[in-house]
Amino acid sequence: MKPINGATVGGRVVRVALAGNPNAGKTSLFNALTGAHHKVGNYPGVTVEKLEGSRFRGETEYRFIDLPGIYSLTAYSIDEVVARDFLLDERPDLIVDVLDSTNLERNLFLCLQFQELGIPVVGALNMSDEAEAKGVRIDDRALSSLLGLRMVRTVGTKGSGVDGLLDAIDAAVGEGAPALKSIHYGEELESHIDPLQTSLALDAAFSSRYPSRWLAVKLIEKDENAFSRLSEHEAGAGIAAEAREASAWLERHFGKDAEIIVSEQRYAYIHGAVRESVKLVKKPSFSVTEAVDDVIMNRFLAIPVFILVLWGVFKLTFSLGAYPQGWLESFFAWLGGAFASALPEGLVRSVLVDGIIAGVGSVFSFVPLIVILFLLLSVLEDLGYMSRAAFATDKALHAFGLHGQSVFPMMLGFGCSVPAIMAARTLKSRRDRIVTILVIPFMSCGAKLPVYVLLAAAFFPRNPTGAVMGIYAIGVVLSLLVALVFKRTILRGDPTPFVMELPPYRAPTLSGVLWHVWEKTASYLKKMGTVIMAASILVWAITTFPAYEPTAAESATLDGAALAELSMEHSAAGAIGKFIEPVFRPIGFDWKLSVATITGFAAKEVIVSTLGILYSAPESDEGGGGRLSAALRADPDWSPLLAFVLMLFTLTIPPCLAAMATIKAELGWKWLGFEFLFLLSVGWLLCFAVFQIGGALGAGVGT
Amino acid sequence: MVIAEAPAGASFRVVRVMTGKEVGKRLADMGFTEGAEGAVVRGGFLRGPFQIRIRGYDLLIRRSEAAEIEVEPIGDWSAARDAARNRRGHWVNGHGCDGRGGDE
Ligand SMILES: Nc1nc2c(ncn2[C@@H]2O[C@H](COP(=O)(O)OP(=O)(O)OP(=O)(O)O)[C@@H](O)[C@H]2O)c(=O)[nH]1
Ligand SMILES: [Mg+2]
């Protein structure tokens, strides 16, 4: 047996993996154990990468690793592979199997497989509060002696049972590596496992890495990953052939697939153990989840409800967000005025008032909107609505070449593309995953919101909210059409299975929601102080230098605003803008918009801050909210059509650098390059068509 | 009979999962093994996914997966079918099993 690695005398380190079924509460427990605040959500597949954190008690450092959820050690999707490979390749000192107590049979099915790995296991009977409420009485003494492991009741969301869990970890680690535990699979199976196990054990180095009995069972299950690991064995090829023969014999004998026979044996064993230790002491009574689902998942209502929920999220965002947005706009207008009158004329005043306040200030007022949108999306997720959304949309999405499980990443995409792209890891087929990732940019992320809201307020004053929702809807329709095109061309593929757990509704935890919102706010404030501040100063600099000296005739004939315009045109920004203008002219953008669009590649909000600087009429008469909107509306070059084209362009151009880096990490350079060029050309062509056709139809005039 | 043929509200006992490989293994790992009892809670609009209750929890599967799970009816499926028709897919407590799958 392997020694407990990492464990040293005095100041010892114990590496503990938190593993278990999806949505069993692993991350909640991890947060309670380590004081971290990682994302928790009532959806199977929230955590898609491993997270680490420590807890100190006495002399011991417990290094916890939170893993993505798995149903079995046979892994299919990327997140499952992450969990399996960690357990096999990095062999933690101990596994805490986080079990959903309301659903013990399926959860313990996995526990058996952990025990076969020869790593000490402690069971956390999590969600014990829910089990109690449902009248599920668990005799944990009986259960732990039946299964031969320590069991501790926990409530991940409240952090109860944490000390007991640490005690159990200490005790289990203190005992050292356990004797290999495995169930008896029945005579026929055992007679084939046995010889395989013996052959595997002949290579000592190999069998110290992979427990022989566990691997023998895995081979009989025809697990591809097990076969590929076999290549490290000195007699790998021979064993592989032996294993294939064994599976074939069993399949003939039982008349079913070998991998299914093994699962049935495990379930039979677990079912027996659960029957002896778990009692239902209450008649199943009225269930909120069932009552709500009778409406929300009603076959005729599910899709209308889904659309209503999306509509409600945005409606609420705009109506709630309008208040803080107004306050912040007034505040920045006042701040600009205060600085302008307090400071002497000069470069310092200029960079502060015309650069930073005009730029950052124009974006800042949108932060509350973005935060509220995030809040609502995370409440939906915590409630458990996202799996209902998958139920409602699977059929339709499937027709467009997407998958029911694409809905979760796509809805996260309304917040931020980065976690959305990561969340696509839960899709089992590579094809579905690629298509989902490629269409996520069409789900307008929070950073695009300021651009939409600004332009809608300026040019669609009769129904700005409707205009913004319209552009969101256009994004969704585009994503479906694009997915359909991919399905018909470069990404054909067979239909892939859809098998997904449906968790009950749960009340969002206040601390979880607040923390998530605070984190989002903090990261936006940071973005304001870094990327957007830097971009504002840069744009200010290129619009201010080189300074232009108006001729005597110009000074005599032109007023202040026209002079400012003239000097901007002769600045570096003017030169750059005019140089690239030809590319954008066909879609209606002048040099100013061209500059704004180019700077927007860094982050979409920068389009707004750049417009804020380019259109900062310093001695603006209006003051207060909507200054930039008013300036845009007053400019004769602008029209509702142009505003719409700019919204469309913002929707379709490639996502921000962080999102592109994530696409590269998930899919590689080739797909990133494809996506970049694809979005650029689709966006430009679409804008071209809309601008030219709209112009021809005379759609420039009002709404 | 297979689950895909079961009306909303029908209870069943699993006979076998007829496919191996990824889907079959996944279904077996999630509790569809010989003798396990379950119920169809509802089917989706226009042949959308099924909501199935098995071993005390609920899951969603497509019709194509439901067509791979051979089951035997528990109770009277045609009564459940009539009830479902009257109720337009409304599923009411009491039709399902208690979710404890049986392997005996
Ligand atoms: N009532 C109750 N709810 C819990 C408990 N532990 C977690 N939850 C809730 O269960 C849901 C899932 O929790 P997570 O911690 O995200 O579960 P996970 O195992 O990390 O899930 P994945 O990362 O998706 O595999 C969340 O809605 C939690 O608030 C608990 O002990 N009792
Ligand atoms: Mg998690």
Side-chain angles (χ1 to χ4, degrees), chain A residues 332-353:
Chain A
F332 276 98
W334 169 83
L335 195 68
F339 272 107
S341 50
L343 293 171
E345 175 134 22
L347 277 183
V348 175
R349 184 174 108 177
S350 179
V351 71
L352 273 176
V353 177

Side-chain angles (χ1 to χ4, degrees), chain B residues 70-92:
Chain B
E70 191 184 327
V71 295
E72 58 186 28
I74 298 180
D76 189 1
W77 275 14
S78 58
R81 192 172 287 125
D82 294 342
R85 199 165 293 139
N86 293 338
R87 242 178 256 109
R88 305 198 143 232
H90 221 71
W91 191 76
V92 173

Side-chain angles (χ1 to χ4, degrees), chain A residues 26-28 39-40 46-47 66-68:
Chain A
K26 299 174 295 299
T27 306
S28 303
K39 185 80 195 77
V40 164
V46 172
T47 309
D66 179 27
L67 296 174

Side-chain angles (χ1 to χ4, degrees), chain A residues 20-29 39-48 66-70 98 126-130 154-158 381-382 506-507 509:
Chain A
N21 281 182
N23 214 41
K26 299 174 295 299
T27 306
S28 303
L29 207 52
K39 185 80 195 77
V40 164
N42 192 12
Y43 181 86
V46 172
T47 309
V48 292
D66 179 27
L67 296 174
I70 47 178
V98 181
N126 198 40
M127 310 241 179
S128 49
D129 53 339
E130 267 185 29
T154 58
V155 179
T157 39
K158 298 205 185 77
E381 183 185 336
D382 286 358
R506 295 199 164 97
T509 61

Side-chain angles (χ1 to χ4, degrees), chain A residues 400-418:
Chain A
F400 285 99
L402 288 159
H403 191 277
Q405 279 172 298
S406 305
V407 144
F408 178 60
M410 286 169 82
M411 287 191 51
L412 289 186
F414 287 130
C416 174
S417 300
V418 173

Side-chain angles (χ1 to χ4, degrees), chain A residues 138-156:
Chain A
I138 301 167
D139 182 348
D140 45 357
R141 289 254 192 94
L143 195 59
S144 44
S145 69
L146 276 166
L147 297 174
L149 51 86
R150 288 184 174 73
M151 293 271 182
V152 183
R153 281 171 207 270
T154 58
V155 179

